[in-house]
Structures are given as structure tokens and as C-alpha cells.
Amino acid sequence: MPVTTHRALPPEIQDIQMQMEEIAAGYGLDFFETIFEMLDYEELSMFAAYGGFPIRYPHWRFGAEYDELLKSYSYGLSKIYEMVINTDPCYAYLLSANALADQKLVIAHVYGHCDFFKNNAWFSQTNRKMLDQMANHAAHVTRYIDRVGYEQVETFIDACLSLENLIDPLSPFIRRSPLDRMPVQPKPSENSEEETGHDRESQGRFSSKSYMDPYINPPDVLRREQEQRRSQQEARDAARSFPEKPQRDVLLFLLEHAPLRTWQHDILAMIRDEAYYFAPQGQTKIMNEGWASYWHSTIMTKHGLTDSEVVDYADHHSGTMAMSPQRLNPYKVGIELFRDIESRWNRGQFGREWEECENEERKKRWDTQAGLGREKIFEVRRIHNDLTFIDSFLTEDFCRKHKMFSFAYNESSGDYEVASREFRAIKQQLLTSLTNHGRPFIYVKDGNYSNRGELYLQHDYQGIELKQDYAQATLKNLHMIWGRPVHIATFVGDKPIALSYDGHSQQSRSA
């Protein structure tokens, strides 16, 4: 891939940036310092393949994504207008081939994203210096390649990347009790001088005068009781789960317990850090794009357009917002939901009185002049993610107005078809697709399965089966890291099964 040289913005783009920044701040948007750079499409494709970062560790997948993006642009199938990354300061990249009207739209859109990155709660725990961190990761991987060889490092990175979604995206927000982290106190030795008085009583001894002790606490009885207690403790230790509770962060469990070499441990930790950095973007795709689109639409239509730019703006904006029969458009759903929330809270269409009103004509004319819409959307932007956003604000009226429906795959025709126009079905399908990004919930249940050091995972089955080929490939990669047989308990239909890989073959059995 080409080595990029960042170019400063032309004077006219610098003027537009300053103007858009002032307008955005005037609306109450609060963002980190934002640095814009101009790139051609090859450079922008490279950055996009790298996840928005100019430097990443060497790996074939980045080259494959770069090639796909470049060909898609060359064939007229897609176009990247801009890219912005969540750092402090924020870095945004503009496409040099964009027309002036597009540059205005993009800059306004970027300030919406930057405000969202800074203020949304789900980004509050991310590393704002990830630009430097990514460069450090690249340097570390390069050193390991020099030390142990490219193929060995690449193969290990392949295995780690196939597991990068096996994290717990909620863990950065969990505050556990300090008691959970207290060190385990060592047990007193059998001959400890402290085993007197109450301690002796707790070990089966009775308080007695010294001359009566051999009769009240016979040594042979005490030894038998001590052996019995030791056997019971060993049985309890053997039955104890490892970990004590199912652990969702599989990568953390591997880092703590897998027999990894130093360089392998370091690379797995890098992959996990980057997975947690990107997780909030997956959790807020609809909201983030909807918020940025709301503000570029507001700023452009009220402040940013000349008469000659209106048609081009309308054409490009409508193209971005077009809904596809095959998939959800996060830009469209996000912007329309924010507009709907603003309209409802401006008209007072919320609260118990509104919810309990059954008069349709009265609800159509409902307007208390509350004027709380703008305040409400800023609040929503601050505290919600996509799942809670849809759950809290997607209404039956909204679905009817925008002609939303749920769809399913028809095996006989080989096409996706409308499955239902019923509100509950639509909302449920959306929530299901957004829960954990539509991925399965996988937990570490036992790190010493059958007392043989084998890894046993549990799939939290919620009606959707694992893809067998994906599951088998994942077990192989887990085995590479764990070094011993790995298993996962799941379901096929209503039948519980366990899939296993022992390093040589795949097995499937009833669980």
C-alpha cells in the first residue's frame, strides 16, 4: 500500500472549516479539537482499511480490504466521502475529489461525530490516545516478526482476530466490589503455634486443662478428623468451578491462563485492546450516524448552501439516506428517530397523560407547546446506545409512517421477503440484531474441564443456532492458543450438543 503524505487544507476549505466549527458550536455541539487533512482516494482507502488509522501492524487483511475498497470505487459501486476517528484531538480525513458543496456537508457531518464521540457515555472509557497506541502496536508486531518470523506471527494474529469479538463490551462500565479483588489469605500450617484456644476448638479440639488434654482430645481421633477435613477440602477444591462464574471476556481468560509465550501474550493483549476501542462504535452505529446526519442536515439547510449548491446537496443527501430492501440504513433510521423525538418532545407527546390517551383524533392534534425537543435529543445523545435507543423511542406510529417491516429468508425462493408488518415483530427483529451486534453470547464455563486442563465454553442459546463452520473454525483457533482440547456447549434445534476439537479432529455429541 502507498505511503501517504498528509496535505494541508486549501484556503477555501480552511475558511469553510472555521465557519462550520463556529456554527456547530453555536448550536451547542461540544467537541474535541478537530484536525482535518486532505487525501486522495487511494490514501483514504488505505486509512479506511486500517480502521481510520494511518499506521497499523502488518497483516494481509488490511491489504485485502484496501484492494476491495479501491476496486469498488473504481467500478463506481461505492465512495467514501470522509472518515473521522475517536481520539483527542479528533482527526478527520476529506476526499480531495469532493466538490465544494460535498466538503461543506462532510465537515458539518464530522462535527456531529466529534460531539458524539466526546459526550456519549458509551465512548467515555475508550482510549483517546489510540493513535499513538496503534503505532506502538505496529512497532511491537514488527519487532516480533523480525525475531520469530513473519509466517508464525501472522498465523497467530489470524487466530486472535477470529476471536476478537469474544469480549465483554459492558465490562469497562462494571464497578465490582473491592472484596472481589482481595488477596486470598494463606492457610495456617498444621503445626502453627497459633492453633490454640478458639483456633484449636475450630479444628476439632476442646478446651481442657493440660493434664486432661490426652483424654479429652485423643491424638488418634484428632488425626482421623484432620484427614477427613483434608479429604473434604480436596473434594471441594476439585468441584470448584474455574472460573467460579462463567466469564464472558474470553480473551481476558486466555491472557490470564493460556500457556502463551511472551510475544504471543503481547499480541493477544493488543488485539483485545483494539477490540475494546472499536466496540462502542458497533454499539452506537445508528445513533452516531443519525446524530451526525441530523446536524449536517440542519447546518447545511440553514447556513451552508448557496443557491447553486442546493440540487447537488439534495442529491447526495438523499442518496445517503436511501433505504435498501436488503438491509437497515443506520443514517436514515438514526436521523428520522432523532427528528421524531425532537418533534414529540416539542409537542409534549410524552408522559403518562399522552400514553394513556386513547382518542386518536386528540392525539393527532396534541400540542402542549412544551418546546423540549432540542434538550431531549441532546440528553438521548448522551446516555443511550443503539439497543436502548431503539427500545425506548421506536414507536408504532414511527414504523407506520416510515413503512418499516421485518423480513426473513425464504429457502424455497432463495430471497429475503417481507415476513411481517406487525410492530412487535419489527421491533423485536431490530432489537435482536442489535443485541451484542447480532453475535452469539459465549462464556468460559470451565478452564479445567474433566480435570484435564481442557477449555469448556457455553453458548447462551437464545433461539439462534451457531453457524457450524464458524464454530468449528473458532474451536481450532482456540485450541491453537489454549494448547489443549476445547469444547462448546450449544443447541441444534432443541437438542443440546457439545462441539469439540482436540487438535486432530472435530467431534459432536449430545450434551
Side-chain angles (χ1 to χ4, degrees):
M1 284 183 281
V3 177
T4 179
T5 301
H6 300 166
R7 293 185 292 277
L9 299 181
E12 64 272 18
I13 304 299
Q14 292 182 24
D15 292 341
I16 291 172
Q17 178 197 348
M18 293 174 62
Q19 177 188 1
M20 292 297 175
E21 181 176 353
E22 183 178 351
I23 294 170
Y27 275 108
L29 298 185
D30 175 27
F31 35 80
F32 297 120
E33 176 192 358
T34 306
I35 300 173
F36 288 85
E37 296 180 356
M38 189 76 73
L39 306 176
D40 63 31
Y41 199 80
E42 287 190 7
E43 294 167 334
L44 191 58
S45 296
M46 182 186 71
F47 279 40
Y50 278 157
F53 292 87
I55 300 176
R56 297 290 297 275
Y57 54 83
H59 191 259
W60 62 265
R61 74 161 181 166
F62 299 129
E65 291 176 9
Y66 167 77
D67 189 56
E68 181 179 353
L69 288 168
L70 202 57
K71 287 181 177 179
S72 182
Y73 174 72
S74 301
Y75 298 153
L77 301 176
S78 67
K79 179 179 179 181
I80 304 172
Y81 281 92
E82 51 79 26
M83 179 162 291
V84 57
I85 58 176
N86 169 35
T87 53
D88 180 12
C90 285
Y91 282 84
Y93 307 106
L94 305 178
L95 180 61
S96 58
N98 283 344
L100 198 60
D102 290 336
Q103 302 290 24
K104 291 181 182 180
L105 182 156
V106 164
I107 292 171
H109 191 87
V110 163
Y111 280 119
H113 277 312
C114 294
D115 171 85
F116 195 90
F117 288 147
K118 182 177 180 180
N119 296 284
N120 181 263
W122 297 91
F123 285 89
S124 62
Q125 302 301 312
T126 58
N127 181 2
R128 306 290 188 180
K129 302 300 179 184
M130 202 61 180
L131 197 67
D132 297 331
Q133 192 68 43
M134 290 286 192
N136 289 337
H137 290 175
H140 279 226
V141 172
T142 300
R143 284 200 296 270
Y144 294 139
I145 289 173
D146 293 339
R147 187 184 308 169
V148 301
Y150 183 83
E151 289 189 6
Q152 191 172 353
V153 171
E154 183 183 61
T155 300
F156 187 76
I157 290 177
D158 287 342
C160 294
L161 289 175
S162 74
L163 310 173
E164 65 179 345
N165 62 337
L166 298 182
I167 60 173
D168 181 1
L170 301 181
S171 64
F173 307 96
I174 298 173
R175 296 184 180 273
R176 293 183 171 88
S177 167
L179 293 176
D180 294 339
R181 300 181 181 179
M182 289 180 65
V184 177
Q185 298 297 326
K187 296 178 182 178
S189 64
E190 295 177 9
N191 299 321
S192 170
E193 294 180 358
E194 295 179 1
E195 290 184 3
T196 58
H198 177 72
D199 288 336
R200 288 187 176 184
E201 292 179 19
S202 66
Q203 296 295 319
R205 299 185 68 93
F206 295 96
S207 180
S208 64
K209 302 290 185 181
S210 59
Y211 65 90
M212 291 295 295
D213 190 66
Y215 304 99
I216 296 176
N217 298 301
D220 56 337
V221 174
L222 291 180
R223 280 194 296 270
R224 285 197 301 271
E225 290 179 350
Q226 188 176 43
E227 288 297 328
Q228 184 178 8
R229 285 194 296 272
R230 182 183 293 113
S231 298
Q232 291 173 345
Q233 183 62 43
E234 289 175 353
R236 284 195 295 269
D237 290 342
R240 183 179 299 150
S241 296
F242 166 57
E244 291 187 3
K245 298 179 181 179
Q247 182 170 324
R248 185 177 171 189
D249 193 339
V250 178
L251 294 190
L252 178 61
F253 186 85
L254 294 175
L255 284 169
E256 292 177 340
H257 304 291
L260 298 172
R261 297 167 63 183
T262 301
W263 68 267
Q264 293 174 325
H265 187 279
D266 197 15
I267 287 178
L268 182 58
M270 294 176 198
I271 301 296
R272 179 174 175 270
D273 286 345
E274 294 183 10
Y276 272 104
Y277 170 81
F278 287 112
Q281 298 183 36
Q283 292 173 297
T284 59
K285 179 69 173 178
I286 294 174
M287 287 189 67
N288 202 343
E289 295 297 355
W291 184 252
S293 299
Y294 173 93
W295 286 109
H296 88 230
S297 175
T298 301
I299 292 172
M300 290 295 288
T301 54
K302 293 186 178 181
H303 307 280
L305 291 172
T306 64
D307 293 345
S308 62
E309 295 170 337
V310 171
V311 173
D312 285 341
Y313 164 77
D315 178 53
H316 294 164
H317 176 78
S318 61
T320 303
M321 298 299 147
M323 288 289 279
S324 166
Q326 283 78 34
R327 62 185 181 87
L328 185 76
N329 184 340
Y331 295 81
K332 178 65 174 177
V333 175
I335 190 174
E336 294 298 346
L337 260 181
F338 274 117
R339 286 172 173 170
D340 185 66
I341 294 167
E342 184 177 35
S343 174
R344 288 168 53 199
W345 261 256
N346 278 337
R347 296 164 61 86
Q349 296 177 346
F350 60 91
R352 175 177 294 182
E353 186 179 357
W354 163 260
E355 297 293 340
E356 294 178 352
C357 179
E358 298 180 356
N359 187 316
E360 290 299 323
E361 288 300 319
R362 185 186 173 200
K363 294 188 83 168
K364 286 180 181 179
R365 298 191 301 270
W366 192 291
D367 188 357
T368 64
Q369 301 292 319
L372 298 174
R374 186 61 57 83
E375 178 183 343
K376 183 63 179 180
I377 63 172
F378 272 91
E379 174 193 301
V380 170
R381 173 271 270 144
R382 187 174 67 254
I383 64 177
H384 285 276
N385 61 25
D386 284 347
L387 186 65
T388 60
F389 184 56
I390 295 296
D391 191 32
S392 301
F393 301 108
L394 187 75
T395 64
E396 188 169 358
D397 289 339
F398 182 90
C399 290
R400 189 182 302 114
K401 177 181 177 182
H402 294 280
K403 301 178 181 179
M404 296 180 71
F405 54 83
S406 65
F407 57 92
Y409 183 73
N410 187 326
E411 293 185 0
S412 60
S413 67
D415 296 320
Y416 282 92
E417 299 177 354
V418 173
S420 175
R421 296 188 185 274
E422 199 269 327
F423 170 65
R424 291 183 180 275
I426 296 168
K427 189 168 185 176
Q428 185 58 52
Q429 187 178 70
L430 258 178
L431 293 176
T432 300
S433 68
L434 293 171
T435 302
N436 200 35
H437 319 312
R439 299 165 181 160
F441 288 89
I442 306 294
Y443 296 83
V444 177
K445 187 175 182 180
D446 193 350
N448 188 27
Y449 180 59
S450 297
N451 202 30
R452 294 195 296 262
E454 299 177 5
L455 183 63
Y456 194 89
L457 305 178
Q458 178 74 49
H459 170 214
D460 184 7
Y461 180 70
Q462 298 177 357
I464 301 177
E465 298 177 10
L466 294 178
K467 292 184 178 181
Q468 295 294 304
D469 53 343
Y470 281 35
Q472 291 169 0
T474 300
L475 289 178
K476 284 186 177 181
N477 289 324
L478 277 168
H479 180 272
M480 179 190 297
I481 295 173
W482 188 251
R484 296 191 62 80
V486 292
H487 317 268
I488 183 167
T490 183
F491 282 80
V492 173
D494 295 328
K495 179 182 176 183
I497 67 166
L499 304 176
S500 303
Y501 182 71
D502 61 4
H504 304 286
S505 62
Q506 302 273 357
Q507 295 92 35
S508 176
R509 67 182 188 278
S510 296

